[in-house]
Amino acid sequence: MTQRINYFQQSPELCKKFVEFSTLLNDCTIEEPIRDLVNIRASQINGCGFCLDMHVKEARIHGERELRLHHVAVWRESTLFSPRERAALAWTEVLTTLPEHGVPDEIYERVRGQFSEKELSDLTFEVMAINGWNRANVAFRTVPGSSDKAFGLDKANLA
């Protein structure tokens, strides 16, 4: 795969602001393991090889177990995720795919049972951010692993 354009070079100020926005999420109310799962699941749904590669490596660096990473795609059938993680994954899926008639009340109520209003708001911004990154990297065919050294992802030892 060949990258189409380098959007960081073409739109440096916009990328800088989007990176700042994404970096703010590191200090939000949503714990890192859930943020990792959200980023992986949205990237799977969107078919973003660059982001999927990046976030699997980040999750491993953060201490995530390998088997759980393999189970993200089948989280409904897996026994490896807590109710809170399941709610976050359900929220990620519904916001990433946006059904024709919006978010069903049943999903909202299930997620709301696991997250406070502030946490749900923060989780929504996490989903928004990864979907934005997915769209840019899919559009411009950013090559998976091409920024490993720059982001310290070579430390995951998953090459």
Side-chain angles (χ1 to χ4, degrees):
M1 178 168 77
T2 303
Q3 186 166 330
R4 289 177 169 156
I5 67 170
N6 183 326
Y7 64 92
F8 269 83
Q9 288 177 350
Q10 298 305 314
S11 303
E13 287 303 311
L14 292 173
C15 286
K16 179 181 175 193
K17 293 297 183 185
F18 200 40
V19 167
E20 288 174 13
F21 169 72
S22 297
T23 301
L24 286 173
L25 292 166
N26 293 334
D27 296 323
C28 77
T29 59
I30 305 303
E31 53 270 36
E32 184 174 72
I34 289 182
R35 291 194 324 267
D36 288 337
L37 294 174
V38 163
N39 290 329
I40 290 167
R41 187 64 189 129
S43 299
Q44 288 173 335
I45 293 167
N46 290 320
C48 184
F50 179 83
C51 291
L52 181 59
D53 179 81
M54 169 185 280
H55 294 294
V56 164
K57 289 172 181 171
E58 281 183 344
R60 289 293 291 146
I61 290 169
H62 298 153
E64 185 59 76
R65 296 185 347 240
E66 188 170 348
L67 185 58
R68 280 173 39 97
L69 294 174
H70 290 291
H71 280 225
V72 172
V74 294
W75 64 269
R76 285 180 184 80
E77 293 82 25
S78 177
T79 59
L80 301 179
F81 302 101
S82 71
R84 185 172 167 88
E85 290 168 332
R86 290 175 180 284
L89 289 166
W91 194 246
T92 299
E93 287 185 0
V94 76
L95 293 184
T96 298
T97 60
L98 280 179
E100 182 179 346
H101 299 289
V103 176
D105 289 339
E106 180 274 323
I107 292 175
Y108 175 79
E109 293 304 327
R110 181 169 14 121
V111 174
R112 190 61 184 89
Q114 294 294 323
F115 293 92
S116 70
E117 289 183 0
K118 169 70 168 135
E119 289 171 330
L120 185 54
S121 180
D122 286 355
L123 179 62
T124 301
F125 278 100
E126 183 73 36
V127 174
M128 289 166 49
I130 190 56
N131 276 288
W133 288 118
N134 287 167
R135 279 146 180 75
N137 287 304
V138 168
F140 300 122
R141 295 185 180 160
T142 309
V143 177
S146 60
S147 297
D148 281 4
K149 193 139 184 95
F151 293 127
L153 299 174
D154 49 337
K155 296 179 184 109
N157 296 318
L158 292 176

